[in-house]
Amino acid sequence: MGNSKQVPTHVAIIMDGNGRWAKAQGKERYEGHIEGVDSVREAIKAARRNGVRYLTLYAFSTENWGRPAEEVNALMELFCKSVIAETDELKAQGVRVVIIGRRDRFSERVCSHLEQIESATAEGKELTFVLAFDYSSRDEITTAVKSIARRVAAGELKVEDICEQTISQSLYTAAIPDPDFIIRTSGECRLSNFLLWQASYAEMYFPQVMWPDFKQNEFDKALEVYAGRERRYGKL
Ligand code: IPE
Ligand code: IPE
Ligand code: MG
């Protein structure tokens, strides 16, 4: 490899441990989410600095609606506040924001912030920042299967012509390359319904650190781990 370190094109992160971080500090769970926004800012900076082209962050799963309403509302509010506070800086940094997931369960207020940040940053060329928000992989695949079935029923697509690409192109991530590297903070070693199709050959890393403590140095450390991985894709 010489001195050219292998850098992942697409890093995807399951941001976990905000609640435990807060508890350990004697704070409310909500304060962990607030500190977590700072880690999001840091991850974007570290990704750009390292030449990562796509950064996906799992912010809210379809299952997270099952948390107490107070926490769900706080997370939605934090999303809106962050959009207002960060849009200019993201634009200045050349970051394009793309949001993946369902769009039919948010309040109008959340929807408008979502559309606003996507359109305001659409021209960003440095980094594509994908936010998975009301996202889960099984839900995404189910939606894709329905759209493929509709095309078949309408006579636009033959069953024999369905291939892996048909499926990839029917997911929310159609325009985004598969993740090379998936990180989950807080020491939990599971995917929790995140990018199941797209993760087929991703390298994985499960650091112990809680998301609010995952700052630029931790991001750099993770990329060192990735640089040492050998990817074989089933070959020799
Ligand atoms: C991750 O932190 C943020 C979201 C899932 C929204 P958690 O809120 O899951 O924190 P823990 O896992 O309870 O510590
Ligand atoms: C996964 O974290 C979802 C997000 C990070 C948005 P959870 O904390 O919701 O997952 P489980 O319940 O521990 O699997
Ligand atoms: Mg969690």
Side-chain angles (χ1 to χ4, degrees):
M1 248 194 282
N3 52 15
S4 65
K5 199 177 90 178
Q6 115 175 297
V7 175
T9 300
H10 182 178
V11 174
I13 308 180
I14 302 170
M15 309 185 282
D16 199 16
N18 293 354
R20 279 164 283 166
W21 180 90
K23 195 174 170 206
Q25 315 250 329
K27 295 178 173 167
E28 295 293 324
R29 289 179 59 82
Y30 177 62
E31 296 179 72
H33 298 315
I34 292 179
E35 187 57 33
V37 175
D38 192 60
S39 299
V40 171
R41 224 176 275 125
E42 294 266 310
I44 291 169
K45 284 191 189 136
R48 281 199 57 214
R49 178 168 49 73
N50 282 284
V52 169
R53 303 310 307 262
Y54 296 83
L55 174 69
T56 298
L57 300 181
Y58 199 7
F60 194 84
S61 73
T62 59
E63 287 83 15
N64 287 148
W65 291 107
R67 293 188 180 193
E70 192 190 348
E71 178 159 346
V72 170
N73 292 339
L75 286 166
M76 295 298 148
E77 217 29 62
L78 192 55
F79 169 77
C80 293
K81 266 195 193 154
S82 305
V83 166
I84 295 164
E86 306 297 333
T87 301
D88 287 347
E89 179 62 21
L90 291 170
K91 267 177 86 169
Q93 288 186 47
V95 178
R96 174 172 68 118
V97 179
V98 172
I99 299 177
I100 59 168
R102 295 176 59 147
R103 298 255 171 136
D104 59 328
R105 304 195 284 190
F106 294 127
S107 68
E108 254 175 58
R109 177 172 146 74
V110 169
C111 275
S112 75
H113 283 79
L114 218 137
E115 285 159 15
Q116 189 232 311
I117 197 164
E118 282 188 321
S119 62
T121 62
E123 300 302 316
K125 299 273 183 290
E126 295 295 315
L127 173 76
T128 299
F129 169 41
V130 183
L131 192 70
F133 199 52
D134 199 6
Y135 172 88
S136 84
S137 199
R138 287 188 171 191
D139 187 73
E140 175 185 42
I141 292 168
T142 304
T143 302
V145 168
K146 283 184 190 160
S147 83
I148 293 167
R150 267 189 224 107
R151 287 168 60 201
V152 171
E156 296 163 15
L157 177 69
K158 289 197 197 115
V159 169
E160 305 73 54
D161 292 338
I162 295 174
C163 60
E164 290 192 6
Q165 221 191 351
T166 319
I167 296 164
S168 295
Q169 290 303 311
S170 305
L171 301 172
Y172 296 129
T173 52
I176 298 158
D178 286 344
D180 301 290
F181 194 34
I182 295 182
I183 302 167
R184 181 176 187 144
T185 56
S186 87
E188 307 291 352
C189 301
R190 58 177 171 274
L191 289 174
S192 301
N193 221 344
F194 186 52
L195 303 178
L196 302 180
W197 170 274
Q198 298 88 335
S200 56
Y201 269 102
E203 294 294 326
M204 308 227 181
Y205 176 52
F206 302 102
Q208 292 299 317
V209 42
M210 301 296 156
W211 178 249
D213 287 330
F214 195 90
K215 303 302 190 200
Q216 291 199 46
N217 61 322
E218 293 290 337
F219 195 100
D220 291 349
K221 231 197 276 177
L223 291 194
E224 286 302 325
V225 170
Y226 179 83
R229 297 281 177 88
E230 190 199 341
R231 304 184 71 185
R232 288 192 288 274
Y233 301 97
K235 306 186 177 84
L236 293 179

